[in-house]
Amino acid sequence: MGSGQWMVERRSSFGNDSFPKEHETASESGCLSIIVLGASGDLAKKKTFPALYHLYRQGFLDSNEVHIFGYARTKISDDDLRDRIRGYLGKDAEHVSKFLQLIKYVSGSYDSEDGFQLLDKEISQHEESKNSSEGSSRRLFYLALPPSVYPPVCRMIKKCCMNNSDLGGWTRIVIEKPFGKDLESAENLSAQIGELFEEAQLYRIDHYLGKELVQNLLVLRFANRFFLPLWNRDNIANVQIVFREDFGTEGRGGYFDEYGIIRDIIQNHLLQVLCLVAMEKPVSLKPEHIRDEKVKVLQSVLPIQDNEFVLGQYEGYRDDPTVPDQSNTPTFATVVLRIHNERWEGVPFILKAGKALNSRKAEIRVQFKDVPGDIFKCQKQGRNEFVIRLQPLEAMYMKLTVKQPGLEMSTVQSELDLSYMQRYQGVPIPEAYERLILDTIRGDQQHFVRRDELKAAWEIFTPLLHRIDNGEMKPKEYQPGSRGPVEADELLAKVGYVQTHGYIWIPPTL
């Protein structure tokens, strides 16, 4: 299939059973208002507005029906906001200019009615200008804000800015992570917001669930026959889910120190990926059926054992003036999770994340058990592995042993490789935020975190996090540019991971 043909089919596939027909476009009912709260901040500037622009460029946001409102405390004009985000939208000046004209800015505080009443007035004027009948228009509020202001902002939205949904309209709220700092704070936050909005109105966004290869996991597992009998404890030795960055906190030290690598990456991004790797086949592709199975996985995770985690902090982390001199915050962690069910009993799931390491990548690495009766004496070359590379250079490849070309019967490790850059030339891979915002407009909650799912995730990590916060657990120091603490590699070997020596995956060239 040529890349052009694939692109046409990809666009048309949004009408299949996984997306009900009422969700096929962003314009199935009244006009749409997208309100970005925290519009003057970094997240909005670098992620939210660019995602909205790309949806607009691809035709998913109709300029005749959509208007975008920015709201923040900063006192700036419409043009000031447009100038702030212009440089993040690309180089097509004509389309950028047209998109920016869809944006209006409203200034106000996050805990008083005056600003939100003004915001509601501006939204209502837009709806009236589009002749949108009362109750049919749609309002999407994107909270690009720190969690501390979620409750007052949600109260103001509920009091001042709700849409009458009797005639097919709606009000939806997108909430950014972190969703609390531990089980108690997350439950408290959920309770406050849950008093104001129904679960069907809340979209807790984890951008990892919008990544192309993460979204491919369900298709790979449940649409390919040869994976079905292999995906269990009888064949799989261990699973690694890895996030590595080759730079440190770089100006975010104060923010990062408040959370640490477990709260920032492992408890949310990597744990969400684990759910998709480990879950059972859902009854259907309906969002609730998928999320039900993810919750079952989380509820089957055993408490983390003291000898199955390693914490690290890179040398120089505390030199950042925004980081306390005695900071105990880990910048690296390897945590082994055990799933107590029939499919995964005895298989370690290794979640590993770190900053200032020797490479930048995110991947899932499924390592299979040794071949019994090794007649080729090739076990020392390494085990079979199925690797899904999430970023950069999206790919999936299967490491396997083959005959070395030539007259001798010798073996070598090679791979079956699907590299997206090569296979899907010219096909743009959407940014995660684009996909997730579009899902929110369509009302598809499949790739968002449900309240009971969030609770189960915090139940796994809160005991360990409290021990770190109390100073009971000290991170090991490691050198920037290294693999992390040597104890982490020792832990991997102890739980059964066999490292391959002499083989390196090289992305194919075009």
Side-chain angles (χ1 to χ4, degrees):
M1 184 187 298
S3 60
Q5 180 187 357
W6 186 88
M7 184 63 173
V8 171
E9 293 193 11
R10 177 174 165 274
R11 279 291 295 272
S12 64
S13 70
F14 287 122
N16 66 21
D17 290 341
S18 63
F19 290 106
K21 294 206 172 177
E22 63 265 31
H23 296 149
E24 280 186 8
T25 71
S27 57
E28 78 275 5
S29 56
C31 66
L32 172 64
S33 299
I34 300 174
I35 303 95
V36 180
L37 296 114
S40 60
D42 264 10
L43 176 63
K45 179 172 62 177
K46 295 177 180 177
K47 296 294 183 181
T48 315
F49 284 115
L52 292 172
Y53 170 68
H54 289 127
L55 290 175
Y56 164 78
R57 282 288 283 117
Q58 294 171 70
F60 289 111
L61 298 181
D62 185 345
S63 59
N64 293 318
E65 296 187 354
V66 175
H67 205 72
I68 300 168
F69 298 86
Y71 185 92
R73 290 177 293 210
T74 311
K75 294 187 183 301
I76 56 175
S77 67
D78 294 352
D79 285 336
D80 289 337
L81 177 62
R82 293 165 184 161
D83 289 341
R84 286 188 180 199
I85 64 178
R86 188 186 304 272
Y88 295 90
L89 302 182
K91 298 180 179 179
D92 188 334
E94 181 182 352
H95 284 102
V96 167
S97 180
K98 288 180 179 178
F99 171 76
L100 290 174
Q101 292 309 306
L102 300 176
I103 298 175
K104 181 168 185 60
Y105 183 75
V106 178
S107 174
S109 72
Y110 294 129
D111 58 0
S112 71
E113 294 182 22
D114 292 347
F116 282 89
Q117 287 172 346
L118 177 59
L119 176 62
D120 181 64
K121 180 182 176 183
E122 295 287 353
I123 298 171
S124 298
Q125 287 176 354
H126 159 65
E127 292 169 348
E128 290 167 8
S129 72
K130 299 299 181 184
N131 298 317
S132 185
S133 58
E134 184 179 0
S136 69
S137 58
R138 299 161 292 153
R139 297 184 177 187
L140 170 59
F141 292 86
Y142 194 111
L143 275 57
L145 296 165
S148 58
V149 298
Y150 289 170
V153 166
C154 287
R155 283 193 290 270
M156 291 299 106
I157 293 172
K158 180 71 173 181
K159 190 168 186 176
C160 304
C161 299
M162 291 293 287
N163 178 48
N164 181 344
S165 60
D166 293 343
L167 297 176
W170 44 254
T171 302
R172 292 174 185 154
I173 315 294
V174 178
I175 304 172
E176 274 280 356
K177 80 169 187 71
F179 315 119
K181 292 187 68 176
D182 58 11
L183 177 59
E184 182 181 0
S185 61
E187 280 289 276
N188 182 43
L189 187 61
S190 292
Q192 291 185 66
I193 298 175
E195 290 175 355
L196 302 168
F197 300 104
E198 298 175 4
E199 185 66 24
Q201 295 176 284
L202 297 173
Y203 290 72
R204 299 176 190 85
I205 194 169
D206 184 328
H207 76 271
Y208 255 58
L209 291 176
K211 289 185 176 293
E212 182 71 34
L213 291 207
V214 173
Q215 297 214 329
N216 209 342
L217 279 170
L218 292 190
V219 180
L220 283 169
R221 286 198 53 203
F222 302 124
N224 293 287
R225 181 62 183 256
F226 62 83
F227 279 128
L228 296 178
L230 296 177
W231 213 258
N232 54 51
R233 62 190 176 94
D234 296 331
N235 299 287
I236 293 176
N238 56 77
V239 178
Q240 281 192 71
I241 304 171
V242 178
F243 173 92
R244 306 165 67 93
E245 286 183 333
D246 56 3
F247 53 88
T249 53
E250 297 192 345
R252 292 178 65 241
Y255 167 83
F256 181 85
D257 196 74
E258 189 179 344
Y259 292 94
I261 199 73
I262 295 177
R263 289 184 176 98
D264 197 36
I265 301 295
I266 295 179
Q267 181 273 338
N268 37 69
H269 299 331
L270 302 195
L271 197 59
Q272 285 294 317
V273 174
L274 178 145
C275 289
L276 296 172
V277 171
M279 64 183 270
E280 298 299 318
K281 182 186 287 188
V283 174
S284 75
L285 290 178
K286 291 181 179 178
E288 293 315 306
H289 289 157
I290 292 172
R291 299 201 291 182
D292 286 345
E293 295 303 332
K294 290 168 65 182
V295 171
K296 289 177 188 176
V297 171
L298 295 172
Q299 292 174 338
S300 300
V301 174
L302 296 172
I304 299 167
Q305 299 300 303
D306 281 359
N307 62 347
E308 292 200 328
F309 66 86
V310 171
L311 307 175
Q313 186 185 90
Y314 67 83
E315 184 182 343
Y317 168 71
R318 286 176 287 183
D319 294 342
D320 185 326
T322 63
V323 173
D325 292 340
Q326 304 302 316
S327 172
N328 196 49
T329 300
T331 61
F332 174 99
T334 294
V335 182
V336 178
L337 298 185
R338 306 278 183 172
I339 299 174
H340 182 56
N341 65 17
E342 183 179 5
R343 181 182 294 271
W344 297 115
E345 186 77 39
V347 179
F349 281 75
I350 304 156
L351 308 187
K352 182 165 66 173
K355 290 183 172 292
L357 298 176
N358 60 348
S359 63
R360 173 182 172 263
K361 67 178 178 181
E363 69 179 20
I364 305 160
R365 184 174 295 267
V366 180
Q367 186 172 84
F368 291 86
K369 292 184 175 181
D370 291 325
V371 175
D374 178 23
I375 60 174
F376 293 103
K377 304 293 187 291
C378 59
Q379 281 188 2
K380 64 180 183 295
Q381 291 177 342
R383 290 171 165 174
N384 293 144
E385 292 182 350
F386 180 51
V387 182
I388 302 173
R389 190 176 180 106
L390 307 179
Q391 68 181 36
L393 302 173
E394 292 90 344
M396 59 185 78
Y397 60 95
M398 178 76 79
K399 285 171 56 178
L400 69 170
T401 301
V402 299
K403 177 186 174 296
Q404 177 84 43
L407 296 175
E408 302 293 333
M409 180 55 74
S410 58
T411 59
V412 66
Q413 278 229 325
S414 189
E415 71 280 322
L416 298 175
D417 191 322
L418 171 58
S419 288
Y420 274 49
M421 189 183 299
Q422 184 182 52
R423 176 63 181 85
Y424 302 119
Q425 294 180 37
V427 179
I429 295 177
E431 281 289 328
Y433 281 93
E434 295 173 40
R435 195 189 310 268
L436 295 175
I437 290 173
L438 187 58
D439 283 349
T440 307
I441 295 169
R442 289 171 165 161
D444 186 345
Q445 291 186 301
Q446 173 181 333
H447 303 115
F448 296 84
V449 181
R450 202 167 65 187
R451 180 174 176 176
D452 56 343
E453 191 179 344
L454 178 64
K455 179 183 178 183
W458 278 118
E459 285 174 340
I460 294 169
F461 284 101
T462 292
L464 173 58
L465 288 167
H466 282 177
R467 294 173 73 186
I468 297 169
D469 294 343
N470 294 335
E472 297 174 37
M473 298 290 157
K474 300 292 185 184
K476 313 282 186 184
E477 189 173 77
Y478 64 94
Q479 291 295 315
S482 68
R483 286 177 52 84
V486 65
E487 290 86 351
D489 285 336
E490 293 170 355
L491 174 59
L492 261 63
K494 191 187 88 172
V495 299
Y497 173 67
V498 177
Q499 189 172 358
T500 302
H501 296 284
Y503 168 89
I504 298 175
W505 176 72
I506 300 174
T509 55
L510 299 179

